[in-house]
Amino acid sequence: QLQVVESGGGLVRPGGSLRLSCAASGFTEGSIDNVVIGWFRQAPGKEREALSCIKGRNIDYGESPKGRFTISRDNAQNMVYLQMTNLRPEDTGIYYCAGGDWRTYARWYGRCLRRFDDYPSRGQGTQVIVSS
């Protein structure tokens, strides 16, 4: 069964950068390239929002991080990354990754920017604090 674990959170100054990692395991698709992974954020007092997702060559971004966050994948390491640049205090929050297999992706007709709870496998989150 697919499992995902986030890491890489921490304290960063405004304007700084941080790379979050999502390690995937237990999938049977042969390659993480065939697994859909999404990144989410829940800021204090706000609802969780979708930031980005990736499946094969398909990548999508939510409204918040456009231009500042980049999702990428390392097939050899079974990792999906979220590179965050020019961080702002409002980027503070708990960051989650979530995953689904090819059947999940097929049900979504290739649209992976969905709610966190739509993903079958969900991580526990890693905290990011942007503060001077």
Side-chain angles (χ1 to χ4, degrees), residues 6 40 48 96-98 114-120 122-123:
E6 313 89 339
F40 301 81
R48 189 153 31 205
Y96 302 85
C97 71
R114 305 186 64 95
R115 297 179 308 135
F116 181 68
D117 290 343
D118 289 337
Y119 279 77
R122 301 180 288 273

Side-chain angles (χ1 to χ4, degrees), residues 4-9 19-24 39 79-83 95-97 126:
V4 293
V5 179
E6 313 89 339
S7 62
R19 189 180 77 165
L20 304 182
S21 301
C22 176
W39 277 102
M79 300 284 280
V80 172
Y81 302 105
L82 186 69
Q83 179 69 48
Y95 285 69
Y96 302 85
C97 71
T126 184

Side-chain angles (χ1 to χ4, degrees), residues 4 7 11-12 17 24 29 40 46 50 64 71 76 79 95 99 103-104 107 119 123 128 132:
V4 293
S7 62
L11 175 64
V12 61
S17 300
E29 283 76 1
F40 301 81
K46 295 188 177 181
S64 292
I71 195 170
M79 300 284 280
Y95 285 69
R103 297 175 187 85
T104 298
R107 286 197 297 272
Y119 279 77
V128 173
S132 55

Side-chain angles (χ1 to χ4, degrees), residues 18-40:
L18 202 61
R19 189 180 77 165
L20 304 182
S21 301
C22 176
S25 63
F27 54 90
T28 60
E29 283 76 1
S31 168
I32 193 173
D33 192 45
N34 299 319
V35 173
V36 56
I37 298 289
W39 277 102
F40 301 81

